[in-house]
Amino acid sequence: DTAVSQTPKYLVTQMGNDKSIKCEQNLGHDTMYWYKQDSKKFLKIMFSYNNKELIINETVPNRFSPKSPDKAHLNLHINSLELGDSAVYFCASSHFYRKDTQYFGPGTRLTVL
Amino acid sequence: AQKITQTQPGMFVQEKEAVTLDCTYDTSDPSYGLFWYKQPSSGEMIFLIYQGSYDQQNATEGRYSLNFQKARKSANLVISASQLGDSAMYFCAMRGQYNNNDMRFGAGTRLTVKP
């Protein structure tokens, strides 16, 4: 059974376009996250949602907007894509009050041309 | 602020030998969790092992063990009996108490297992 899933796995698009990445978890977790991994493999948290409320919003451009229709889903919408947005985006989930778990999705490789 | 440091960009180990990947951290939280993840060339992030800051014993999961030295703020990963499939990037991460969702990652160590 898939625990954390993301679609699409690959996304190639032109500069200026708007795109979305979907994430779903079936682990019963109440918190979901988006991370960005750059070309140097550095992972940085972008957003966190707990019970559909935004908890963390690191210094991410407002072109990025997370949307959580329910506890099991956290989608990432990106407006006016730029070359620098090219990266791998990971969704993850965990329990808010348990520190011992955080599971990642397979990642979405976004390439902006 | 939390900080995770992995000082080894790359490591080599002979197959069947043990290897230690270093991780040091800095935090003012009294309670925190330390994680190790493996990222093979296929790209997924695989959870390996967890150590709580108040856990009395070092965590172990199969061939993985975490050498936790709280006073030194280090959480090194030990992989015993290395296998070719262990070749991957390894990330150390920490999650604090007061901001439960604030997980910070180190820069990673690329491990290559030689036959």
Side-chain angles (χ1 to χ4, degrees), chain B residues 32-55:
Chain B
Y32 48 89
L34 296 154
F35 300 75
W36 277 92
Y37 287 87
K38 172 184 178 181
Q39 187 176 41
S41 58
S42 51
E44 70 268 32
M45 292 288 288
I46 302 168
F47 167 74
L48 294 179
I49 197 167
Y50 165 82
Q51 178 82 44
S53 59
Y54 285 112
D55 293 343

mmCIF file with all atom_site columns, all heavy atoms in Angstrom, chain B residues 32-55:
data_model
loop_
_atom_site.group_PDB
_atom_site.id
_atom_site.type_symbol
_atom_site.label_atom_id
_atom_site.label_alt_id
_atom_site.label_comp_id
_atom_site.label_asym_id
_atom_site.label_entity_id
_atom_site.label_seq_id
_atom_site.pdbx_PDB_ins_code
_atom_site.Cartn_x
_atom_site.Cartn_y
_atom_site.Cartn_z
_atom_site.occupancy
_atom_site.B_iso_or_equiv
_atom_site.pdbx_formal_charge
_atom_site.auth_seq_id
_atom_site.auth_comp_id
_atom_site.auth_asym_id
_atom_site.auth_atom_id
_atom_site.pdbx_PDB_model_num
ATOM 1   N N   . TYR B 1 32 ? 14.014 16.745 21.480 1.00 0.00 ? 32 TYR B N   1
ATOM 2   C CA  . TYR B 1 32 ? 14.086 16.761 20.023 1.00 0.00 ? 32 TYR B CA  1
ATOM 3   C C   . TYR B 1 32 ? 14.256 15.339 19.518 1.00 0.00 ? 32 TYR B C   1
ATOM 4   O O   . TYR B 1 32 ? 14.522 14.405 20.273 1.00 0.00 ? 32 TYR B O   1
ATOM 5   C CB  . TYR B 1 32 ? 15.240 17.647 19.542 1.00 0.00 ? 32 TYR B CB  1
ATOM 6   C CG  . TYR B 1 32 ? 16.550 17.385 20.246 1.00 0.00 ? 32 TYR B CG  1
ATOM 7   C CD1 . TYR B 1 32 ? 17.442 16.436 19.776 1.00 0.00 ? 32 TYR B CD1 1
ATOM 8   C CD2 . TYR B 1 32 ? 16.882 18.094 21.396 1.00 0.00 ? 32 TYR B CD2 1
ATOM 9   C CE1 . TYR B 1 32 ? 18.636 16.190 20.434 1.00 0.00 ? 32 TYR B CE1 1
ATOM 10  C CE2 . TYR B 1 32 ? 18.069 17.853 22.066 1.00 0.00 ? 32 TYR B CE2 1
ATOM 11  C CZ  . TYR B 1 32 ? 18.938 16.901 21.575 1.00 0.00 ? 32 TYR B CZ  1
ATOM 12  O OH  . TYR B 1 32 ? 20.115 16.660 22.239 1.00 0.00 ? 32 TYR B OH  1
ATOM 13  N N   . GLY B 1 33 ? 14.076 15.188 18.241 1.00 0.00 ? 33 GLY B N   1
ATOM 14  C CA  . GLY B 1 33 ? 14.254 13.890 17.596 1.00 0.00 ? 33 GLY B CA  1
ATOM 15  C C   . GLY B 1 33 ? 15.275 13.994 16.477 1.00 0.00 ? 33 GLY B C   1
ATOM 16  O O   . GLY B 1 33 ? 15.353 15.014 15.795 1.00 0.00 ? 33 GLY B O   1
ATOM 17  N N   . LEU B 1 34 ? 16.028 12.946 16.306 1.00 0.00 ? 34 LEU B N   1
ATOM 18  C CA  . LEU B 1 34 ? 17.054 12.903 15.267 1.00 0.00 ? 34 LEU B CA  1
ATOM 19  C C   . LEU B 1 34 ? 16.744 11.767 14.297 1.00 0.00 ? 34 LEU B C   1
ATOM 20  O O   . LEU B 1 34 ? 16.355 10.679 14.714 1.00 0.00 ? 34 LEU B O   1
ATOM 21  C CB  . LEU B 1 34 ? 18.434 12.700 15.890 1.00 0.00 ? 34 LEU B CB  1
ATOM 22  C CG  . LEU B 1 34 ? 18.868 13.871 16.778 1.00 0.00 ? 34 LEU B CG  1
ATOM 23  C CD1 . LEU B 1 34 ? 19.859 13.413 17.827 1.00 0.00 ? 34 LEU B CD1 1
ATOM 24  C CD2 . LEU B 1 34 ? 19.446 14.987 15.943 1.00 0.00 ? 34 LEU B CD2 1
ATOM 25  N N   . PHE B 1 35 ? 16.891 12.032 13.036 1.00 0.00 ? 35 PHE B N   1
ATOM 26  C CA  . PHE B 1 35 ? 16.507 11.096 11.984 1.00 0.00 ? 35 PHE B CA  1
ATOM 27  C C   . PHE B 1 35 ? 17.664 10.902 11.007 1.00 0.00 ? 35 PHE B C   1
ATOM 28  O O   . PHE B 1 35 ? 18.468 11.808 10.785 1.00 0.00 ? 35 PHE B O   1
ATOM 29  C CB  . PHE B 1 35 ? 15.334 11.659 11.164 1.00 0.00 ? 35 PHE B CB  1
ATOM 30  C CG  . PHE B 1 35 ? 14.085 11.937 11.950 1.00 0.00 ? 35 PHE B CG  1
ATOM 31  C CD1 . PHE B 1 35 ? 13.989 13.039 12.788 1.00 0.00 ? 35 PHE B CD1 1
ATOM 32  C CD2 . PHE B 1 35 ? 12.977 11.116 11.819 1.00 0.00 ? 35 PHE B CD2 1
ATOM 33  C CE1 . PHE B 1 35 ? 12.837 13.309 13.495 1.00 0.00 ? 35 PHE B CE1 1
ATOM 34  C CE2 . PHE B 1 35 ? 11.806 11.386 12.517 1.00 0.00 ? 35 PHE B CE2 1
ATOM 35  C CZ  . PHE B 1 35 ? 11.741 12.472 13.347 1.00 0.00 ? 35 PHE B CZ  1
ATOM 36  N N   . TRP B 1 36 ? 17.661 9.734  10.385 1.00 0.00 ? 36 TRP B N   1
ATOM 37  C CA  . TRP B 1 36 ? 18.511 9.500  9.231  1.00 0.00 ? 36 TRP B CA  1
ATOM 38  C C   . TRP B 1 36 ? 17.638 8.983  8.095  1.00 0.00 ? 36 TRP B C   1
ATOM 39  O O   . TRP B 1 36 ? 16.778 8.126  8.302  1.00 0.00 ? 36 TRP B O   1
ATOM 40  C CB  . TRP B 1 36 ? 19.609 8.480  9.524  1.00 0.00 ? 36 TRP B CB  1
ATOM 41  C CG  . TRP B 1 36 ? 20.806 9.076  10.213 1.00 0.00 ? 36 TRP B CG  1
ATOM 42  C CD1 . TRP B 1 36 ? 21.023 9.161  11.549 1.00 0.00 ? 36 TRP B CD1 1
ATOM 43  C CD2 . TRP B 1 36 ? 21.950 9.656  9.573  1.00 0.00 ? 36 TRP B CD2 1
ATOM 44  N NE1 . TRP B 1 36 ? 22.228 9.770  11.795 1.00 0.00 ? 36 TRP B NE1 1
ATOM 45  C CE2 . TRP B 1 36 ? 22.818 10.082 10.603 1.00 0.00 ? 36 TRP B CE2 1
ATOM 46  C CE3 . TRP B 1 36 ? 22.326 9.852  8.243  1.00 0.00 ? 36 TRP B CE3 1
ATOM 47  C CZ2 . TRP B 1 36 ? 24.049 10.690 10.338 1.00 0.00 ? 36 TRP B CZ2 1
ATOM 48  C CZ3 . TRP B 1 36 ? 23.537 10.457 7.987  1.00 0.00 ? 36 TRP B CZ3 1
ATOM 49  C CH2 . TRP B 1 36 ? 24.385 10.868 9.028  1.00 0.00 ? 36 TRP B CH2 1
ATOM 50  N N   . TYR B 1 37 ? 17.905 9.555  6.915  1.00 0.00 ? 37 TYR B N   1
ATOM 51  C CA  . TYR B 1 37 ? 17.211 9.134  5.706  1.00 0.00 ? 37 TYR B CA  1
ATOM 52  C C   . TYR B 1 37 ? 18.241 8.726  4.663  1.00 0.00 ? 37 TYR B C   1
ATOM 53  O O   . TYR B 1 37 ? 19.338 9.282  4.593  1.00 0.00 ? 37 TYR B O   1
ATOM 54  C CB  . TYR B 1 37 ? 16.361 10.272 5.128  1.00 0.00 ? 37 TYR B CB  1
ATOM 55  C CG  . TYR B 1 37 ? 15.112 10.576 5.904  1.00 0.00 ? 37 TYR B CG  1
ATOM 56  C CD1 . TYR B 1 37 ? 15.132 11.458 6.985  1.00 0.00 ? 37 TYR B CD1 1
ATOM 57  C CD2 . TYR B 1 37 ? 13.894 9.996  5.553  1.00 0.00 ? 37 TYR B CD2 1
ATOM 58  C CE1 . TYR B 1 37 ? 13.991 11.743 7.699  1.00 0.00 ? 37 TYR B CE1 1
ATOM 59  C CE2 . TYR B 1 37 ? 12.733 10.287 6.263  1.00 0.00 ? 37 TYR B CE2 1
ATOM 60  C CZ  . TYR B 1 37 ? 12.797 11.158 7.331  1.00 0.00 ? 37 TYR B CZ  1
ATOM 61  O OH  . TYR B 1 37 ? 11.657 11.437 8.032  1.00 0.00 ? 37 TYR B OH  1
ATOM 62  N N   . LYS B 1 38 ? 17.833 7.787  3.824  1.00 0.00 ? 38 LYS B N   1
ATOM 63  C CA  . LYS B 1 38 ? 18.662 7.335  2.707  1.00 0.00 ? 38 LYS B CA  1
ATOM 64  C C   . LYS B 1 38 ? 17.994 7.773  1.413  1.00 0.00 ? 38 LYS B C   1
ATOM 65  O O   . LYS B 1 38 ? 16.774 7.618  1.252  1.00 0.00 ? 38 LYS B O   1
ATOM 66  C CB  . LYS B 1 38 ? 18.780 5.807  2.740  1.00 0.00 ? 38 LYS B CB  1
ATOM 67  C CG  . LYS B 1 38 ? 19.464 5.175  1.539  1.00 0.00 ? 38 LYS B CG  1
ATOM 68  C CD  . LYS B 1 38 ? 19.414 3.647  1.660  1.00 0.00 ? 38 LYS B CD  1
ATOM 69  C CE  . LYS B 1 38 ? 20.043 2.971  0.448  1.00 0.00 ? 38 LYS B CE  1
ATOM 70  N NZ  . LYS B 1 38 ? 19.965 1.486  0.553  1.00 0.00 ? 38 LYS B NZ  1
ATOM 71  N N   . GLN B 1 39 ? 18.771 8.333  0.503  1.00 0.00 ? 39 GLN B N   1
ATOM 72  C CA  . GLN B 1 39 ? 18.231 8.699  -0.807 1.00 0.00 ? 39 GLN B CA  1
ATOM 73  C C   . GLN B 1 39 ? 19.065 8.015  -1.889 1.00 0.00 ? 39 GLN B C   1
ATOM 74  O O   . GLN B 1 39 ? 20.143 8.474  -2.263 1.00 0.00 ? 39 GLN B O   1
ATOM 75  C CB  . GLN B 1 39 ? 18.231 10.216 -1.022 1.00 0.00 ? 39 GLN B CB  1
ATOM 76  C CG  . GLN B 1 39 ? 17.520 10.626 -2.308 1.00 0.00 ? 39 GLN B CG  1
ATOM 77  C CD  . GLN B 1 39 ? 17.420 12.122 -2.477 1.00 0.00 ? 39 GLN B CD  1
ATOM 78  O OE1 . GLN B 1 39 ? 18.356 12.866 -2.190 1.00 0.00 ? 39 GLN B OE1 1
ATOM 79  N NE2 . GLN B 1 39 ? 16.275 12.583 -2.954 1.00 0.00 ? 39 GLN B NE2 1
ATOM 80  N N   . PRO B 1 40 ? 18.570 6.900  -2.421 1.00 0.00 ? 40 PRO B N   1
ATOM 81  C CA  . PRO B 1 40 ? 19.303 6.236  -3.507 1.00 0.00 ? 40 PRO B CA  1
ATOM 82  C C   . PRO B 1 40 ? 19.200 7.040  -4.791 1.00 0.00 ? 40 PRO B C   1
ATOM 83  O O   . PRO B 1 40 ? 18.506 8.062  -4.848 1.00 0.00 ? 40 PRO B O   1
ATOM 84  C CB  . PRO B 1 40 ? 18.591 4.875  -3.620 1.00 0.00 ? 40 PRO B CB  1
ATOM 85  C CG  . PRO B 1 40 ? 17.246 5.086  -3.020 1.00 0.00 ? 40 PRO B CG  1
ATOM 86  C CD  . PRO B 1 40 ? 17.365 6.196  -2.025 1.00 0.00 ? 40 PRO B CD  1
ATOM 87  N N   . SER B 1 41 ? 19.873 6.565  -5.815 1.00 0.00 ? 41 SER B N   1
ATOM 88  C CA  . SER B 1 41 ? 19.890 7.304  -7.088 1.00 0.00 ? 41 SER B CA  1
ATOM 89  C C   . SER B 1 41 ? 18.493 7.420  -7.693 1.00 0.00 ? 41 SER B C   1
ATOM 90  O O   . SER B 1 41 ? 18.245 8.319  -8.508 1.00 0.00 ? 41 SER B O   1
ATOM 91  C CB  . SER B 1 41 ? 20.843 6.637  -8.073 1.00 0.00 ? 41 SER B CB  1
ATOM 92  O OG  . SER B 1 41 ? 20.467 5.297  -8.282 1.00 0.00 ? 41 SER B OG  1
ATOM 93  N N   . SER B 1 42 ? 17.586 6.543  -7.308 1.00 0.00 ? 42 SER B N   1
ATOM 94  C CA  . SER B 1 42 ? 16.214 6.621  -7.822 1.00 0.00 ? 42 SER B CA  1
ATOM 95  C C   . SER B 1 42 ? 15.455 7.819  -7.245 1.00 0.00 ? 42 SER B C   1
ATOM 96  O O   . SER B 1 42 ? 14.398 8.186  -7.765 1.00 0.00 ? 42 SER B O   1
ATOM 97  C CB  . SER B 1 42 ? 15.467 5.325  -7.512 1.00 0.00 ? 42 SER B CB  1
ATOM 98  O OG  . SER B 1 42 ? 15.604 5.003  -6.143 1.00 0.00 ? 42 SER B OG  1
ATOM 99  N N   . GLY B 1 43 ? 15.974 8.416  -6.180 1.00 0.00 ? 43 GLY B N   1
ATOM 100 C CA  . GLY B 1 43 ? 15.446 9.691  -5.718 1.00 0.00 ? 43 GLY B CA  1
ATOM 101 C C   . GLY B 1 43 ? 14.534 9.692  -4.515 1.00 0.00 ? 43 GLY B C   1
ATOM 102 O O   . GLY B 1 43 ? 14.313 10.744 -3.921 1.00 0.00 ? 43 GLY B O   1
ATOM 103 N N   . GLU B 1 44 ? 13.981 8.557  -4.139 1.00 0.00 ? 44 GLU B N   1
ATOM 104 C CA  . GLU B 1 44 ? 13.053 8.590  -3.010 1.00 0.00 ? 44 GLU B CA  1
ATOM 105 C C   . GLU B 1 44 ? 13.804 8.770  -1.692 1.00 0.00 ? 44 GLU B C   1
ATOM 106 O O   . GLU B 1 44 ? 14.983 8.463  -1.591 1.00 0.00 ? 44 GLU B O   1
ATOM 107 C CB  . GLU B 1 44 ? 12.193 7.322  -2.973 1.00 0.00 ? 44 GLU B CB  1
ATOM 108 C CG  . GLU B 1 44 ? 12.932 6.052  -2.606 1.00 0.00 ? 44 GLU B CG  1
ATOM 109 C CD  . GLU B 1 44 ? 13.465 5.304  -3.805 1.00 0.00 ? 44 GLU B CD  1
ATOM 110 O OE1 . GLU B 1 44 ? 13.827 5.959  -4.810 1.00 0.00 ? 44 GLU B OE1 1
ATOM 111 O OE2 . GLU B 1 44 ? 13.533 4.061  -3.726 1.00 0.00 ? 44 GLU B OE2 1
ATOM 112 N N   . MET B 1 45 ? 13.105 9.278  -0.702 1.00 0.00 ? 45 MET B N   1
ATOM 113 C CA  . MET B 1 45 ? 13.665 9.486  0.643  1.00 0.00 ? 45 MET B CA  1
ATOM 114 C C   . MET B 1 45 ? 13.165 8.344  1.526  1.00 0.00 ? 45 MET B C   1
ATOM 115 O O   . MET B 1 45 ? 11.975 8.220  1.781  1.00 0.00 ? 45 MET B O   1
ATOM 116 C CB  . MET B 1 45 ? 13.198 10.814 1.223  1.00 0.00 ? 45 MET B CB  1
ATOM 117 C CG  . MET B 1 45 ? 13.760 12.016 0.503  1.00 0.00 ? 45 MET B CG  1
ATOM 118 S SD  . MET B 1 45 ? 15.494 12.250 0.840  1.00 0.00 ? 45 MET B SD  1
ATOM 119 C CE  . MET B 1 45 ? 15.443 12.810 2.519  1.00 0.00 ? 45 MET B CE  1
ATOM 120 N N   . ILE B 1 46 ? 14.096 7.543  1.998  1.00 0.00 ? 46 ILE B N   1
ATOM 121 C CA  . ILE B 1 46 ? 13.740 6.357  2.779  1.00 0.00 ? 46 ILE B CA  1
ATOM 122 C C   . ILE B 1 46 ? 14.131 6.579  4.231  1.00 0.00 ? 46 ILE B C   1
ATOM 123 O O   . ILE B 1 46 ? 15.306 6.800  4.539  1.00 0.00 ? 46 ILE B O   1
ATOM 124 C CB  . ILE B 1 46 ? 14.458 5.107  2.223  1.00 0.00 ? 46 ILE B CB  1
ATOM 125 C CG1 . ILE B 1 46 ? 14.089 4.901  0.747  1.00 0.00 ? 46 ILE B CG1 1
ATOM 126 C CG2 . ILE B 1 46 ? 14.105 3.875  3.046  1.00 0.00 ? 46 ILE B CG2 1
ATOM 127 C CD1 . ILE B 1 46 ? 14.950 3.886  0.037  1.00 0.00 ? 46 ILE B CD1 1
ATOM 128 N N   . PHE B 1 47 ? 13.158 6.498  5.120  1.00 0.00 ? 47 PHE B N   1
ATOM 129 C CA  . PHE B 1 47 ? 13.416 6.652  6.550  1.00 0.00 ? 47 PHE B CA  1
ATOM 130 C C   . PHE B 1 47 ? 14.195 5.439  7.062  1.00 0.00 ? 47 PHE B C   1
ATOM 131 O O   . PHE B 1 47 ? 13.823 4.299  6.799  1.00 0.00 ? 47 PHE B O   1
ATOM 132 C CB  . PHE B 1 47 ? 12.088 6.778  7.294  1.00 0.00 ? 47 PHE B CB  1
ATOM 133 C CG  . PHE B 1 47 ? 12.201 6.644  8.781  1.00 0.00 ? 47 PHE B CG  1
ATOM 134 C CD1 . PHE B 1 47 ? 12.740 7.669  9.531  1.00 0.00 ? 47 PHE B CD1 1
ATOM 135 C CD2 . PHE B 1 47 ? 11.781 5.496  9.424  1.00 0.00 ? 47 PHE B CD2 1
ATOM 136 C CE1 . PHE B 1 47 ? 12.851 7.554  10.907 1.00 0.00 ? 47 PHE B CE1 1
ATOM 137 C CE2 . PHE B 1 47 ? 11.886 5.372  10.803 1.00 0.00 ? 47 PHE B CE2 1
ATOM 138 C CZ  . PHE B 1 47 ? 12.422 6.401  11.545 1.00 0.00 ? 47 PHE B CZ  1
ATOM 139 N N   . LEU B 1 48 ? 15.279 5.696  7.773  1.00 0.00 ? 48 LEU B N   1
ATOM 140 C CA  . LEU B 1 48 ? 16.121 4.607  8.277  1.00 0.00 ? 48 LEU B CA  1
ATOM 141 C C   . LEU B 1 48 ? 15.981 4.392  9.775  1.00 0.00 ? 48 LEU B C   1
ATOM 142 O O   . LEU B 1 48 ? 15.770 3.271  10.241 1.00 0.00 ? 48 LEU B O   1
ATOM 143 C CB  . LEU B 1 48 ? 17.591 4.902  7.973  1.00 0.00 ? 48 LEU B CB  1
ATOM 144 C CG  . LEU B 1 48 ? 18.029 4.926  6.521  1.00 0.00 ? 48 LEU B CG  1
ATOM 145 C CD1 . LEU B 1 48 ? 19.508 5.264  6.428  1.00 0.00 ? 48 LEU B CD1 1
ATOM 146 C CD2 . LEU B 1 48 ? 17.715 3.614  5.827  1.00 0.00 ? 48 LEU B CD2 1
ATOM 147 N N   . ILE B 1 49 ? 16.138 5.471  10.552 1.00 0.00 ? 49 ILE B N   1
ATOM 148 C CA  . ILE B 1 49 ? 16.262 5.293  11.983 1.00 0.00 ? 49 ILE B CA  1
ATOM 149 C C   . ILE B 1 49 ? 15.961 6.605  12.689 1.00 0.00 ? 49 ILE B C   1
ATOM 150 O O   . ILE B 1 49 ? 16.159 7.690  12.124 1.00 0.00 ? 49 ILE B O   1
ATOM 151 C CB  . ILE B 1 49 ? 17.692 4.797  12.331 1.00 0.00 ? 49 ILE B CB  1
ATOM 152 C CG1 . ILE B 1 49 ? 17.764 4.209  13.741 1.00 0.00 ? 49 ILE B CG1 1
ATOM 153 C CG2 . ILE B 1 49 ? 18.735 5.872  12.105 1.00 0.00 ? 49 ILE B CG2 1
ATOM 154 C CD1 . ILE B 1 49 ? 19.044 3.431  14.000 1.00 0.00 ? 49 ILE B CD1 1
ATOM 155 N N   . TYR B 1 50 ? 15.458 6.472  13.928 1.00 0.00 ? 50 TYR B N   1
ATOM 156 C CA  . TYR B 1 50 ? 15.082 7.628  14.738 1.00 0.00 ? 50 TYR B CA  1
ATOM 157 C C   . TYR B 1 50 ? 15.674 7.489  16.146 1.00 0.00 ? 50 TYR B C   1
ATOM 158 O O   . TYR B 1 50 ? 15.716 6.392  16.700 1.00 0.00 ? 50 TYR B O   1
ATOM 159 C CB  . TYR B 1 50 ? 13.560 7.721  14.832 1.00 0.00 ? 50 TYR B CB  1
ATOM 160 C CG  . TYR B 1 50 ? 13.081 8.654  15.916 1.00 0.00 ? 50 TYR B CG  1
ATOM 161 C CD1 . TYR B 1 50 ? 13.015 10.023 15.687 1.00 0.00 ? 50 TYR B CD1 1
ATOM 162 C CD2 . TYR B 1 50 ? 12.714 8.169  17.174 1.00 0.00 ? 50 TYR B CD2 1
ATOM 163 C CE1 . TYR B 1 50 ? 12.590 10.881 16.678 1.00 0.00 ? 50 TYR B CE1 1
ATOM 164 C CE2 . TYR B 1 50 ? 12.289 9.029  18.171 1.00 0.00 ? 50 TYR B CE2 1
ATOM 165 C CZ  . TYR B 1 50 ? 12.224 10.389 17.909 1.00 0.00 ? 50 TYR B CZ  1
ATOM 166 O OH  . TYR B 1 50 ? 11.809 11.233 18.892 1.00 0.00 ? 50 TYR B OH  1
ATOM 167 N N   . GLN B 1 51 ? 16.103 8.625  16.698 1.00 0.00 ? 51 GLN B N   1
ATOM 168 C CA  . GLN B 1 51 ? 16.602 8.672  18.080 1.00 0.00 ? 51 GLN B CA  1
ATOM 169 C C   . GLN B 1 51 ? 15.971 9.848  18.797 1.00 0.00 ? 51 GLN B C   1
ATOM 170 O O   . GLN B 1 51 ? 16.078 10.986 18.335 1.00 0.00 ? 51 GLN B O   1
ATOM 171 C CB  . GLN B 1 51 ? 18.127 8.859  18.089 1.00 0.00 ? 51 GLN B CB  1
ATOM 172 C CG  . GLN B 1 51 ? 18.750 8.973  19.466 1.00 0.00 ? 51 GLN B CG  1
ATOM 173 C CD  . GLN B 1 51 ? 18.988 7.633  20.112 1.00 0.00 ? 51 GLN B CD  1
ATOM 174 O OE1 . GLN B 1 51 ? 19.465 6.698  19.495 1.00 0.00 ? 51 GLN B OE1 1
ATOM 175 N NE2 . GLN B 1 51 ? 18.683 7.519  21.396 1.00 0.00 ? 51 GLN B NE2 1
ATOM 176 N N   . GLY B 1 52 ? 15.290 9.583  19.897 1.00 0.00 ? 52 GLY B N   1
ATOM 177 C CA  . GLY B 1 52 ? 14.740 10.652 20.712 1.00 0.00 ? 52 GLY B CA  1
ATOM 178 C C   . GLY B 1 52 ? 15.800 11.171 21.677 1.00 0.00 ? 52 GLY B C   1
ATOM 179 O O   . GLY B 1 52 ? 16.629 10.397 22.165 1.00 0.00 ? 52 GLY B O   1
ATOM 180 N N   . SER B 1 53 ? 15.733 12.447 21.988 1.00 0.00 ? 53 SER B N   1
ATOM 181 C CA  . SER B 1 53 ? 16.792 13.040 22.812 1.00 0.00 ? 53 SER B CA  1
ATOM 182 C C   . SER B 1 53 ? 16.791 12.505 24.238 1.00 0.00 ? 53 SER B C   1
ATOM 183 O O   . SER B 1 53 ? 17.812 12.572 24.931 1.00 0.00 ? 53 SER B O   1
ATOM 184 C CB  . SER B 1 53 ? 16.641 14.560 22.829 1.00 0.00 ? 53 SER B CB  1
ATOM 185 O OG  . SER B 1 53 ? 15.372 14.931 23.339 1.00 0.00 ? 53 SER B OG  1
ATOM 186 N N   . TYR B 1 54 ? 15.647 11.968 24.687 1.00 0.00 ? 54 TYR B N   1
ATOM 187 C CA  . TYR B 1 54 ? 15.601 11.415 26.036 1.00 0.00 ? 54 TYR B CA  1
ATOM 188 C C   . TYR B 1 54 ? 15.715 9.892  26.049 1.00 0.00 ? 54 TYR B C   1
ATOM 189 O O   . TYR B 1 54 ? 15.627 9.277  27.113 1.00 0.00 ? 54 TYR B O   1
ATOM 190 C CB  . TYR B 1 54 ? 14.297 11.836 26.725 1.00 0.00 ? 54 TYR B CB  1
ATOM 191 C CG  . TYR B 1 54 ? 14.324 13.293 27.148 1.00 0.00 ? 54 TYR B CG  1
ATOM 192 C CD1 . TYR B 1 54 ? 13.506 14.223 26.521 1.00 0.00 ? 54 TYR B CD1 1
ATOM 193 C CD2 . TYR B 1 54 ? 15.171 13.732 28.155 1.00 0.00 ? 54 TYR B CD2 1
ATOM 194 C CE1 . TYR B 1 54 ? 13.540 15.564 26.901 1.00 0.00 ? 54 TYR B CE1 1
ATOM 195 C CE2 . TYR B 1 54 ? 15.205 15.053 28.538 1.00 0.00 ? 54 TYR B CE2 1
ATOM 196 C CZ  . TYR B 1 54 ? 14.381 15.966 27.910 1.00 0.00 ? 54 TYR B CZ  1
ATOM 197 O OH  . TYR B 1 54 ? 14.424 17.281 28.284 1.00 0.00 ? 54 TYR B OH  1
ATOM 198 N N   . ASP B 1 55 ? 15.891 9.306  24.888 1.00 0.00 ? 55 ASP B N   1
ATOM 199 C CA  . ASP B 1 55 ? 16.043 7.847  24.848 1.00 0.00 ? 55 ASP B CA  1
ATOM 200 C C   . ASP B 1 55 ? 17.368 7.460  25.502 1.00 0.00 ? 55 ASP B C   1
ATOM 201 O O   . ASP B 1 55 ? 18.413 8.047  25.186 1.00 0.00 ? 55 ASP B O   1
ATOM 202 C CB  . ASP B 1 55 ? 16.015 7.345  23.397 1.00 0.00 ? 55 ASP B CB  1
ATOM 203 C CG  . ASP B 1 55 ? 14.657 7.534  22.753 1.00 0.00 ? 55 ASP B CG  1
ATOM 204 O OD1 . ASP B 1 55 ? 13.681 7.743  23.508 1.00 0.00 ? 55 ASP B OD1 1
ATOM 205 O OD2 . ASP B 1 55 ? 14.569 7.464  21.525 1.00 0.00 ? 55 ASP B OD2 1
#
